[in-house]
Amino acid sequence: MATQARDAAIVGIHEYPLRDVEGRVSPLQIKAESAAAALADAGLTWSDVDAIYDAGEGGGMGGLTIAEYFGLKPNVIDTTNVGGSSYEYHAAHAKRDIAAGKARVALLTYGSTAHSNVQRIGAGGRGGGVHPADNMESFTGMTLIANYAMVARRHMSQYGTTSEQLAEISVATRAHAMRNPQAVKAMQDLEFLDIRETTVADVVGSRMVADPLHLLECCMISDGGGAVVIAAPEVARDCAKTPVWILGSGEATKYPENGGDITVSAAAQSAPQAFGEAGVTPAELDIAMIYDSFSITVLALLEDLGFCPKGEGGAWVEGGRLRFDNPAGPALNTDGGGLSSNHPGMRGIFLLIEAARQLRGESTSQVAGARLAVAHGNGGMLGSRHCAGTVILGRD
Amino acid sequence: MSESNRTPSRPLPRLDEPDTGEFWRKTKDKVLGYQHCDDCGTIVFYPRRHCTGCLGSNLTWQASAGEGTIYTFSVVRQSYHPFFRSLVPYAVAWIDLDEGPRILSNITGVEDPGTLEVGQRVTLTWEEHDEVCIPLFRPARE
């Protein structure tokens, strides 16, 4: 541990509390409010920021629009957009830029009104786009959920994984959500029925949306947003909160290939980079913040991150291993995840935020003495083309 | 576009898309094409102008016999798309053609798509439209 580089740390976080803004707040306004709150959390202010990382979801000309909107003139602008994994990329790039001396205080923000806009993220058909891959696929009516469901189907066929095993992921996540007042309010505001802890039987008994995925294996569609402030060590030392160090990162891409294995995600390529740089192994991690668009996403990513061998995830997650109070495994998505707390379309920033909360000791499902966490974002679609961003975080 | 009725229809591919337009133009004659690199042997699919295996672009079109295997599939039971919502439940599948390409399509001709299986053999069947035919698949005869 002593040899780990401490080049940059998360020093400020904010999760926008509302999941249904009823059309009264714009994505840009959510970003700005969250940025101010995260800077205040760090004990910093707007003028300290010299680097902006932005996926461009607020519209306009990416980095230029957001800089003017915030009233900043940053030295570094990075507009990487790789869907829901953008924020893991941003954190990795912020660390790289800070280590290179190009920046001292980096600001990452996210804002979305997907719920208010009635965006059919999951069950919408894809438009007749002009990208060559779209032109080959949009005639099929493959919904986003079906895209992921095809990974689940193949995983079941190839490894014997069951719906009951996949349901364990939904059950553990909901248990954590019920301990998080913000998540409970989210489910109320989004009019979830029967808001309570769930069982495996509840999940497999819920309506089938796209075989073999059931309703309770699918994430919500909320409004929301947040912000993360990342700073150089000399800044972090004087900040208000315990620094959460970025110890390692990895990036990777996956897309359909003739003869390829759909059960293996890009995480299989990004994880060795991240764990290698951090000098830790999955078994040492206390917290697993893993993009839970669907149950199968988490199962495949747990395997690819190296928590268990490929194909053995089903048995591995059984018996509540992922619950925050079960020391046999890492605590999964302790904020309640995209399944039960917050999914406005690109959830990656919340993975960083809740990991930081855990390492500060501020989670509503706190793991005692948590020291190491992984935030893994999967952007795009698991069953076809996606990007992976793995970030390993630790505290002193 | 000439149709004046409002019956929703399947979203059709564009015939002028620079990389994949040729694939669709061939379907008018019910040819399921894929590209083969004559320099390095790579099968390129989805179609492109360049080879993804070597630095060349010496690609020639070949025709698939239309026989393949279901690699994986899902049965869509909920869709908000005006056409596909009228079709539910329907099967979407990745199909491994015997020649190598993996193609996304629908499996038709089954009463209950929930009874399909990974590894099942399927055969090409064409859905005819004005300027294009859509390659769909049905379970192969035993």
Side-chain angles (χ1 to χ4, degrees):
Chain A
M1 293 282 281
T3 60
Q4 284 168 346
R6 275 154 166 68
D7 293 326
I10 294 175
V11 295
I13 55 174
H14 181 73
E15 181 174 4
Y16 189 78
L18 301 182
R19 306 293 192 270
D20 181 4
V21 301
E22 298 172 333
R24 289 195 291 253
V25 185
S26 74
L28 280 174
Q29 290 170 333
I30 292 172
K31 287 162 77 77
E33 181 179 327
S34 297
L39 286 165
D41 180 55
L44 299 171
T45 189
W46 287 113
S47 59
D48 293 311
V49 176
D50 58 5
I52 289 180
Y53 299 79
D54 200 271
E57 81 286 356
M61 192 186 283
L64 173 57
T65 300
I66 198 68
E68 180 182 358
Y69 189 74
F70 288 159
L72 297 174
K73 292 182 175 168
N75 298 329
V76 173
I77 292 180
D78 180 323
T79 53
T80 302
N81 183 339
V82 282
S85 60
S86 296
Y87 306 92
E88 281 64 47
Y89 281 62
H90 293 171
H93 297 179
K95 179 199 178 209
R96 185 175 70 196
D97 296 339
I98 289 168
K102 294 288 188 185
R104 294 175 77 241
V105 176
L107 175 62
L108 290 56
T109 61
Y110 173 48
S112 166
T113 52
H115 173 74
S116 291
N117 300 349
V118 198
Q119 271 187 23
R120 300 299 189 188
I121 296 172
R126 295 171 59 199
V130 293
H131 186 273
D134 286 339
N135 205 43
M136 294 298 292
E137 296 170 9
S138 53
F139 76 87
T140 64
M142 174 178 63
T143 58
L144 186 150
I145 300 174
N147 181 300
Y148 285 73
M150 286 198 278
V151 181
R153 171 68 67 199
R154 184 69 197 186
H155 206 283
M156 291 173 164
S157 166
Q158 203 160 315
Y159 308 115
T161 308
T162 65
S163 285
E164 286 74 13
Q165 291 170 333
L166 284 168
E168 292 269 0
I169 288 155
S170 301
V171 170
T173 308
R174 176 62 68 85
H176 298 156
M178 295 309 296
R179 301 173 53 82
N180 177 1
Q182 212 179 82
V184 172
K185 182 166 189 315
M187 291 187 279
Q188 290 167 345
D189 288 351
L190 298 180
E191 298 175 350
F192 274 41
L193 302 173
D194 199 15
I195 299 166
R196 58 174 170 81
E197 284 205 29
T198 51
T199 64
V200 167
D202 290 331
V203 176
V204 299
S206 64
R207 175 169 59 86
M208 195 76 91
V209 179
D211 304 23
L213 294 181
H214 305 79
L215 181 64
L216 292 180
E217 298 179 76
C218 303
C219 63
M220 62 170 65
I221 301 171
S222 60
D223 297 333
V228 170
V229 180
I230 296 170
E234 65 272 20
V235 178
R237 267 195 301 273
D238 296 329
C239 282
K241 298 286 177 65
T242 306
V244 172
W245 300 101
I246 299 172
L247 302 177
S249 67
E251 302 171 11
T253 303
K254 163 102 182 198
Y255 42 82
E257 291 177 286
N258 302 325
D261 186 346
I262 201 173
T263 68
V264 178
S265 78
Q269 183 181 336
S270 64
Q273 304 170 41
F275 283 102
E277 182 182 357
V280 300
T281 63
E284 296 175 70
L285 297 190
D286 306 294
I287 309 298
M289 292 301 303
I290 296 178
Y291 202 116
D292 59 333
S293 41
F294 301 93
S295 56
I296 182 61
T297 321
V298 173
L299 194 80
L301 297 182
L302 282 169
E303 294 171 344
D304 296 336
L305 287 166
F307 284 100
C308 64
K310 191 70 208 173
E312 297 179 16
W316 195 75
V317 302
E318 283 180 338
R321 183 191 290 267
L322 303 172
R323 287 180 57 104
F324 82 107
D325 53 3
N326 186 337
L332 173 75
N333 297 340
T334 47
D335 57 345
L339 292 169
S340 292
S341 177
N342 203 354
H343 191 279
M346 302 198 295
R347 183 178 153 69
I349 200 164
F350 309 122
L351 307 173
L352 298 170
I353 290 171
E354 175 65 9
R357 284 198 200 104
Q358 279 284 355
L359 300 184
R360 290 173 170 191
E362 298 176 353
S363 174
T364 49
S365 291
Q366 184 62 44
V367 174
R371 297 187 61 85
L372 285 168
V374 60
H376 181 88
N378 189 81
M381 300 201 207
L382 188 70
S384 52
R385 43 198 68 84
H386 60 260
C387 279
T390 310
V391 174
I392 310 292
L393 299 163
R395 69 170 167 86
D396 289 317
Chain B
M1 288 300 187
S2 60
E3 301 283 324
S4 57
N5 68 54
R6 298 286 188 84
T7 308
S9 58
R10 182 187 291 278
L12 296 176
R14 293 185 60 137
L15 301 180
D16 59 353
E17 197 286 314
D19 286 293
T20 59
E22 178 62 19
F23 172 88
W24 290 110
R25 291 190 292 271
K26 287 181 185 301
T27 66
K28 179 71 176 160
D29 299 323
K30 299 189 176 175
V31 171
L32 184 67
Y34 64 92
Q35 294 166 302
H36 175 269
C37 177
D38 291 343
D39 291 336
C40 75
T42 297
I43 287 172
V44 178
F45 194 84
Y46 61 84
R48 266 155 276 198
R49 196 172 67 158
H50 66 282
C51 179
T52 53
C54 67
L55 297 179
S57 55
N58 196 12
L59 304 177
T60 55
W61 284 91
Q62 303 195 354
S64 168
E67 304 292 327
T69 304
I70 297 177
Y71 175 70
T72 187
F73 73 100
S74 177
V75 180
V76 178
R77 299 185 185 274
Q78 177 178 331
S79 173
Y80 295 108
H81 187 281
F83 171 73
F84 291 109
R85 75 197 304 174
S86 69
L87 225 60
V88 296
Y90 60 93
V92 177
W94 286 107
I95 294 147
D96 284 336
L97 296 172
D98 290 350
E99 296 88 355
R102 180 172 294 171
I103 184 172
L104 189 74
S105 185
N106 300 126
I107 311 290
T108 64
V110 278
E111 208 156 291
D112 176 6
T115 62
L116 293 169
E117 289 179 24
V118 169
Q120 191 171 341
R121 293 288 293 168
V122 290
T123 303
L124 176 64
T125 178
W126 292 100
E127 179 185 279
E128 297 181 19
H129 295 264
D130 287 347
E131 296 179 36
V132 72
C133 293
I134 296 293
L136 305 177
F137 289 80
R138 57 173 171 76
R141 288 200 192 84
E142 294 302 320

